[in-house]
Amino acid sequence: MAAQARMRNSRVLIINLGSVGTEITKNLVLSGIGSLTILDNHNLCKDDIGNQFFSNREQVGVNRAVAAKLRIQDMNPRVKLDVFQDEFTAKPDTFFKQFDLIVATELSASHITIINAITRKYEISLYVTGLHGLFGYIFVDLIEFDAQDEKLKSAVSTMLGPISANREIIEVTERVDEEQNKVKELITTRNKFKPFETLLAEASLEGKLTRRQIKRLSSALPLLLAMFHFDMDFTDLTESSLAEKAIKVCKQLKVSPETLKPEYMKQFVEQASIEFAPVAAVIGGAVAQDCINILGKRQSPLNNFVFFDGVTLDMQVLEL
Amino acid sequence: MIQFEKTASIEVLGAENYAKLRHTKVLLVGAGGIGCELLKNLVLMGFGEVHVVDLDTIDLSNLNRQFLFRQRDIRQPKATTAVKAVQHISNSTLIAYQCNIQDTEKFPLSWFSQFALFFNALDNLEARRYVNQIAQLLHKPLIESGTAGFDGYIQPIIPGETECFDCTTKETPKTFPVCTIRSTPSQPVHCIVWAKNFLFPQLFSTSTTASANEDLGTDDPLEIERIRQETNELRELQEYIKSGDESRIPTIIEKLYTHDIEKLLAIENLWRTRQKPVPLGRFDLTDAVNPDFNAVWSLQEQLDCLANATKKLMKRQATEDQIDFDKDDVDSLEFVAAAANIRAHVFHLPIKSIFDIKQIAGNIIPAIATTNAIIAGLSSLASLRVLNLMKGFPVKSPKELNMAFTARASNIPTHRYLSNPVLASPNSRCPVCSVPRGVIKISGKALSSTKLQDLIEAIRQKYHYPGEVSVVDKSTQRLLADIDFDDLLEKSLLDLKIRSGVLLMIADERDDVVEIRAGSEFYIQEDSKNCASHPFLLPEMKVKMVKSEVEPPQESLENGLDETTTNVAQSSDVLIIDEDESGSKRKLEESELPPNKKAKHTEELVLLD
């Protein structure tokens, strides 16, 4: 199968092997990708034992990627596995050139911007994901991606042209499925993506959701975006500083600041950058599923921001 | 061993709720695709005690998605292997059972009552329904889940407050137990699944290369020998393929259709109620190939086709390393079709054309690891809400809770990854949760001294059934008594095999009144301690009057009530006990669960784990 062959030849880099990094690694290794490289400069601390299933208690103090290597390899001996103990910023840009796809986790906004500049330079697909307690996001930058989806032809032919802010149908071909005696349409959709920096500066929901959908939007979205405006260690994160930044985000998104629920703000302040295993499972599953898709089959990818609210199980894909 | 608390859980739940979690005991039913992921999550979160029940053993085909299992674990029990595989990250008490959850001797009702919550991570409707009924009977919350390909859902069920599993029709994909596929196929599709999902990957796309210093997880020499033998047999066939030596093809065919069938025949209890397969025996191969994919071929043509396809695949393997089944890849299709048809021949099943097999094989949805991971994550999060352990998000009413579907499953707009409706109220017509039910506690002595008549009289008086009632043993689908059948009334409960675990269903039989007493259900539980002074204790509950309706009205499609299960007494097969003089047996239908009439994907066959 062509898709399987593409998967087996693909080279993926995962930056940081915390809870969500571990979930993505597990899913990609099971799926049979060709080679996986893990870059992690953190040592396993006792907090990781609640999040990591590739290492054990006796390995506390050992580098996370090194500690996990044996168990990852054991899961699928065919995957070519490499681990590096450096921080990604310590690697020269050319190091990244070898990869088809990079998944970055546990990064601050400034680091996301750095890795995104590298992936843009070498035309590498990028997925960035991060968790704050019960909440999580996925940012996707595939630069430009032509997806092919097949569907049954309805009474009206699919028209060429833009279908949303970031997507445009560029080709429709018909195919008669003789086995099922039905006409199918093969639709090619051009997905455009924007760099993380642009998204952060310009993200807006205007014209993308109905008024009702905007009214019922989870606080998780503006708060996840507001968290990018703090530094890596969230040194000055308080309920009031978060509220201030979140209100700005709401204005930019064109949603009412009333969307922001106090209990959500409290949660974000208390659980900034905490990776909680079941949330990592959901986000890690979604990231890996999309990676497998774009590496193999090329059906429509996530475009371009996903938020997850672990309280209400709300999860949406928004073209920000 | 160094103990660590689960710090992320402490942060998210708060110290107080985390302490409660550490004392929470839950039941996980199923250790397959969703079950492995769930167990990992529950252990990482720090649940105090998790009991895992799974009947199955690990199969080669599980390894690409059930991430706790390795090649060396093949044929080991899933539950115990999964528990062993998470020990290194666990500070929970983990208990595994290789058992059928419906085994009432192993798991009496009292056993279920020790848990705060049940998780269903099952692959079949019957067991899901069973756990749902137990949850209703004990008023314990249940988190139900399921996946098929990219589709998946979770549904928290709070008895008495929210919809139960049987309140709405579920899309019930056809699933096949592994043993049916591997040992006792009874339909052509079973043979196609065997050829496509077991044989083909085993020969062409799975690696059996073990690392040199492989840890087999045991020191028992016999056990090590067994694992080695298991792996060797598998490797042997792969070696034949890899050798590229065409002269070995007859040996492969002989192994699959003669030696393996003979081994199956040796397991005598498989064939007590089934027609025995007949090993292929002597055969010759020719180079003739029938090009007509629409024709039903002879056995000779099947054998020639299999040999020819194997030859081509052998050659390709040298350059392609690993070949995956694809219905549009003619070599792989021919191989699977011929292999399935020869197996069908051996088991006396109809032979299909290659064209038909292409259709069926293309509709087998593979289980997808990422969907299982997402659904298990959602299930774990939902459990925290159900147990009300999420700091900062207290649950005031169960109707605030959400269920979740992956977007494709519910055809919701594309910007939603998940649809998350709040839980609905119970369906007042639900055959399960609208029926009043309780536990009858009875002493061991009373089981032999109480006549069926005495029990029925006590039930009639307590719950005000004025006229005749019918009594059905729901567990075995036996009619015990009704207006025309009183032969068994004088028999003791013991004689009638009414014992712990039996579910009795009572229905008001009057047909000449406007209002009748609603039906009720009683679970029999032997409990000599609490029944010292009375022979048996009936549960305190009210049974309402309801409108007498012979035919339930048709439900709208949206409402989705499965009418085949609306009146359980009518739709279940009823089998009169074959007692000496009453003699006549009337078995209505095969005890097959009613197929879902409204299932959208009726053509799809799903191989769940």
Side-chain angles (χ1 to χ4, degrees):
Chain A
M1 199 191 295
Q4 280 288 339
R6 276 203 291 273
M7 279 292 294
R8 278 196 297 276
N9 290 323
S10 57
R11 290 154 305 170
V12 177
L13 171 71
I14 292 192
I15 299 177
N16 286 330
L17 200 63
S19 192
V20 75
T22 300
E23 284 286 342
I24 295 164
T25 301
K26 171 202 70 186
N27 295 332
L28 290 180
V29 167
L30 278 181
S31 79
I33 55 163
S35 94
L36 183 73
T37 304
I38 300 169
L39 200 54
D40 192 333
N41 63 324
H42 303 87
N43 289 339
L44 196 73
C45 68
K46 70 186 181 68
D47 291 356
D48 291 320
I49 302 301
N51 280 328
Q52 266 264 17
F53 43 84
F54 287 136
S55 40
N56 61 26
R57 301 174 173 89
E58 283 71 26
Q59 293 173 303
V60 166
V62 179
N63 175 278
R64 289 198 297 197
V66 173
K69 193 177 175 188
L70 263 180
R71 280 196 170 84
I72 298 172
Q73 191 74 72
D74 186 39
M75 213 168 51
N76 184 351
R78 280 170 174 265
V79 173
K80 188 179 173 299
L81 186 65
D82 289 303
V83 300
F84 292 92
Q85 306 189 36
D86 319 274
E87 189 171 5
F88 87 90
T89 47
K91 288 278 178 198
D93 283 9
T94 47
F95 167 80
F96 299 94
K97 234 167 108 174
Q98 59 182 303
F99 302 105
D100 302 306
L101 189 154
I102 296 178
V103 183
T105 74
E106 298 179 271
L107 294 189
S108 66
S110 55
H111 277 167
I112 297 171
T113 307
I114 295 171
I115 191 75
N116 199 181
I118 296 169
T119 59
R120 284 251 157 188
K121 182 165 152 194
Y122 296 116
E123 296 187 359
I124 302 167
S125 301
L126 174 69
Y127 287 79
V128 181
T129 171
L131 310 186
H132 299 293
L134 292 166
F135 310 96
Y137 72 87
I138 305 168
F139 162 75
V140 185
D141 180 14
L142 308 181
I143 307 165
E144 190 174 282
F145 186 90
D146 290 347
Q148 294 195 316
D149 300 273
E150 194 172 62
K151 65 163 203 177
L152 268 183
K153 193 188 171 186
S154 60
V156 189
S157 295
T158 304
M159 301 291 287
L160 298 187
I163 47 168
S164 65
N166 300 351
R167 291 180 302 152
E168 180 185 2
I169 294 179
I170 56 165
E171 196 187 334
V172 180
T173 52
E174 283 184 14
R175 177 176 82 83
V176 180
D177 188 329
E178 281 167 12
E179 286 160 37
Q180 297 180 12
N181 203 15
K182 281 166 184 159
V183 182
K184 299 213 165 153
E185 281 184 336
L186 187 65
I187 300 168
T188 307
T189 310
R190 178 154 295 166
N191 284 261
K192 292 203 164 151
F193 294 82
K194 56 179 82 158
F196 179 75
E197 219 172 356
T198 316
L199 180 141
L200 213 52
E202 296 172 1
S204 165
L205 287 173
E206 199 171 22
K208 290 170 189 162
L209 291 181
T210 64
R211 202 179 299 167
R212 194 176 127 84
Q213 285 167 336
I214 285 185
K215 214 176 151 192
R216 296 176 56 181
L217 193 68
S218 162
S219 305
L221 176 68
L223 289 169
L224 283 163
L225 289 170
M227 294 296 271
F228 288 124
H229 296 281
F230 290 88
D231 65 36
M232 182 71 192
D233 302 320
F234 295 96
T235 33
D236 47 0
L237 176 67
T238 62
E239 277 186 55
S240 64
S241 66
L242 179 62
E244 192 186 315
K245 292 186 158 93
I247 288 168
K248 268 191 204 157
V249 169
C250 283
K251 274 184 190 152
Q252 184 192 313
L253 284 175
K254 300 280 191 298
V255 303
S256 160
E258 282 163 29
T259 307
L260 300 167
K261 290 192 184 150
E263 64 267 31
Y264 276 72
M265 305 238 259
K266 195 158 184 280
Q267 162 81 27
F268 270 87
V269 172
E270 287 172 3
Q271 272 120 63
S273 73
I274 292 210
E275 293 192 300
F276 188 38
V279 178
V282 176
I283 295 279
V287 170
Q289 204 164 78
D290 214 49
C291 291
I292 294 165
N293 171 39
I294 68 149
L295 290 172
K297 279 179 298 203
R298 305 183 76 82
Q299 284 165 1
S300 278
L302 298 173
N303 183 352
N304 58 5
F305 196 85
V306 180
F307 75 83
F308 176 62
D309 176 339
V311 182
T312 61
L313 312 184
D314 191 1
M315 189 167 180
Q316 299 185 25
V317 189
L318 297 167
E319 295 181 21
L320 294 183
Chain B
M1 194 178 274
I2 317 151
Q3 286 291 331
F4 289 119
E5 295 304 329
K6 305 296 184 181
T7 42
S9 279
I10 298 175
E11 301 274 2
V12 172
L13 307 180
E16 202 180 312
N17 285 339
Y18 177 73
K20 282 187 198 159
L21 186 79
R22 299 291 298 137
H23 288 97
T24 300
K25 202 194 270 193
V26 293
L27 170 63
L28 169 56
V29 193
I34 300 177
C36 278
E37 292 283 338
L38 247 171
L39 178 63
K40 172 254 302 170
N41 294 347
L42 300 181
V43 162
L44 287 175
M45 288 154 80
F47 271 86
E49 194 166 324
V50 185
H51 291 228
V52 190
V53 179
D54 198 309
L55 180 64
D56 276 346
T57 51
I58 294 156
D59 193 273
L60 175 71
S61 65
N62 300 144
L63 303 185
N64 67 347
R65 62 188 178 281
Q66 299 177 14
F67 82 106
L68 297 177
F69 305 144
R70 303 286 171 269
Q71 184 119 20
R72 55 182 174 269
D73 301 322
I74 289 175
R75 294 226 184 135
Q76 295 296 303
K78 284 190 176 177
T80 42
T81 309
V83 160
K84 266 188 221 154
V86 296
Q87 282 304 346
H88 68 287
I89 49 162
S90 167
N91 60 0
S92 311
T93 303
L94 302 174
I95 298 170
Y97 307 81
Q98 187 198 5
C99 258
N100 184 341
I101 192 66
Q102 299 182 63
D103 181 338
T104 52
E105 271 173 40
K106 182 84 188 171
F107 306 123
L109 196 64
S110 53
W111 179 81
F112 284 93
S113 50
Q114 66 182 306
F115 303 106
L117 176 87
F118 310 144
F119 289 96
N120 264 357
L122 284 159
D123 61 357
N124 71 85
L125 195 60
E126 193 189 339
R128 281 188 164 108
R129 288 203 155 129
Y130 181 81
V131 178
N132 180 50
Q133 294 206 12
I134 298 280
Q136 293 292 328
L137 211 51
L138 292 173
H139 285 267
K140 298 274 185 188
L142 161 68
I143 304 199
E144 163 58 30
S145 61
T147 66
F150 290 106
D151 295 347
Y153 71 93
I154 65 122
Q155 178 193 9
I157 294 167
I158 318 295
E161 305 272 355
T162 71
E163 276 183 346
C164 86
F165 181 71
D166 277 317
C167 277
T168 59
T169 313
K170 298 290 182 302
E171 278 184 24
T172 48
K174 283 187 182 177
T175 66
F176 307 114
V178 170
C179 56
T180 305
I181 304 297
R182 301 299 292 258
S183 313
T184 56
S186 58
Q187 295 170 26
V189 65
H190 298 151
C191 300
I192 300 169
V193 172
W194 171 81
K196 174 184 174 243
N197 293 56
F198 291 84
L199 181 63
F200 192 91
Q202 181 172 323
L203 293 183
F204 301 108
S205 51
T206 318
S207 159
T208 50
T209 349
S211 44
N213 54 348
E214 190 184 33
D215 173 16
L216 293 172
T218 174
D219 297 325
D220 179 352
L222 280 177
E223 184 62 3
I224 291 175
E225 181 50 35
R226 188 199 64 78
I227 296 172
R228 294 236 186 274
Q229 203 181 342
E230 185 78 37
T231 318
N232 283 341
E233 249 181 53
L234 219 100
R235 209 170 280 171
E236 193 183 65
L237 281 184
Q238 284 188 353
E239 287 306 320
Y240 286 172
I241 297 293
K242 284 212 182 99
S243 70
D245 180 355
E246 292 177 10
S247 68
R248 290 201 157 139
I249 292 175
T251 318
I252 297 174
I253 295 177
E254 208 173 5
K255 166 159 173 39
L256 294 175
Y257 300 105
T258 301
H259 299 158
D260 285 357
I261 301 298
E262 281 165 356
K263 273 190 216 160
L264 278 177
L265 280 169
I267 311 170
E268 282 175 15
N269 59 8
L270 286 178
W271 314 111
R272 288 217 179 98
T273 57
R274 297 185 181 91
Q275 192 182 358
K276 286 183 182 173
V278 176
L280 182 64
R282 251 191 57 82
F283 61 91
D284 294 305
L285 295 171
T286 73
D287 282 333
V289 173
N290 188 337
D292 185 357
F293 279 18
N294 286 306
V296 173
W297 297 349
S298 67
L299 177 64
Q300 184 61 49
E301 285 169 321
Q302 306 285 356
L303 286 162
D304 292 338
C305 173
L306 181 67
N308 186 53
T310 310
K311 263 183 220 167
K312 288 193 274 183
L313 288 163
M314 264 179 168
K315 279 199 194 102
R316 281 172 54 183
Q317 185 127 31
T319 51
E320 289 178 46
D321 178 38
Q322 176 178 331
I323 305 165
D324 296 288
F325 174 81
D326 181 344
K327 67 181 171 61
D328 297 317
D329 171 343
V330 175
D331 299 341
S332 73
L333 176 67
E334 283 184 342
F335 179 92
V336 163
N341 276 333
I342 299 169
R343 186 169 170 87
H345 169 84
V346 164
F347 282 88
H348 321 288
L349 301 169
I351 307 288
K352 299 250 172 200
S353 72
I354 293 213
F355 182 80
D356 284 346
I357 288 180
K358 182 178 180 181
Q359 292 280 317
I360 299 169
N363 278 329
I364 299 173
I365 305 175
I368 292 176
T370 47
T371 314
N372 286 336
I374 293 168
I375 289 303
L378 296 170
S379 193
S380 329
L381 283 165
S383 75
L384 293 175
R385 293 277 280 164
V386 169
L387 295 166
N388 209 352
L389 294 178
M390 255 185 208
K391 180 185 66 169
F393 301 95
V395 180
K396 289 175 213 88
S397 151
K399 302 222 179 83
E400 288 172 20
L401 300 174
N402 304 77
M403 62 195 307
F405 299 87
T406 55
R408 251 199 68 197
S410 51
N411 293 323
I412 45 183
T414 50
H415 80 273
R416 286 199 161 269
Y417 199 97
L418 296 173
S419 159
N420 61 331
V422 287
L423 300 182
S425 297
N427 178 346
S428 61
R429 297 181 157 280
C430 173
V432 174
C433 71
S434 72
V435 179
R437 58 182 64 221
V439 180
I440 295 177
K441 291 181 179 168
I442 186 159
S443 72
K445 226 175 84 190
L447 281 174
S448 56
S449 64
T450 307
K451 291 181 206 159
L452 178 61
Q453 171 88 31
D454 306 336
L455 184 67
I456 295 178
E457 273 314 305
I459 289 173
R460 282 186 51 206
Q461 288 195 2
K462 182 151 180 112
Y463 307 107
H464 311 291
Y465 287 98
E468 294 291 338
V469 295
S470 66
V471 182
V472 171
D473 172 355
K474 212 178 167 184
S475 347
T476 55
Q477 311 289 5
R478 289 177 300 162
L479 177 69
L480 295 169
D482 75 5
I483 198 156
D484 301 320
F485 180 56
D486 57 4
D487 307 39
L488 306 177
L489 292 176
E490 292 298 315
K491 298 215 174 263
S492 76
L493 300 182
L494 190 73
D495 286 343
L496 294 171
K497 299 198 172 87
I498 299 175
R499 57 186 167 218
S500 258
V502 166
L503 195 61
L504 294 183
M505 196 165 58
I506 312 291
D508 191 337
E509 286 280 274
R510 291 171 302 155
D511 54 4
D512 53 351
V513 285
V514 181
E515 276 206 319
I516 57 166
R517 192 64 61 187
S520 54
E521 288 184 12
F522 298 93
Y523 187 97
I524 306 293
Q525 188 179 11
E526 193 180 323
D527 186 345
S528 299
K529 215 167 37 184
N530 287 312
C531 296
S533 49
H534 301 276
F536 53 83
L537 290 172
L538 296 181
E540 292 307 321
M541 64 185 205
K542 288 219 169 73
V543 182
K544 284 188 280 192
M545 295 297 284
V546 292
K547 279 209 181 110
S548 166
E549 279 174 302
V550 180
E551 288 293 328
Q554 289 286 317
E555 287 291 313
S556 72
L557 276 174
E558 282 73 26
N559 221 345
L561 184 73
D562 189 350
E563 67 223 53
T564 53
T565 57
T566 306
N567 188 333
V568 179
Q570 282 180 354
S571 67
S572 303
D573 52 337
V574 176
L575 178 64
I576 293 185
I577 280 188
D578 193 8
E579 283 284 331
D580 24 61
E581 67 276 354
S582 70
S584 67
K585 222 183 214 176
R586 55 181 164 115
K587 195 164 190 301
L588 296 181
E589 266 180 305
E590 272 301 304
S591 107
E592 193 66 39
L593 283 156
N596 180 348
K597 292 184 172 169
K598 288 184 287 286
K600 274 188 233 155
H601 311 293
T602 44
E603 293 301 303
E604 293 181 342
L605 307 163
V606 183
L607 241 207
L608 291 174
D609 336 277

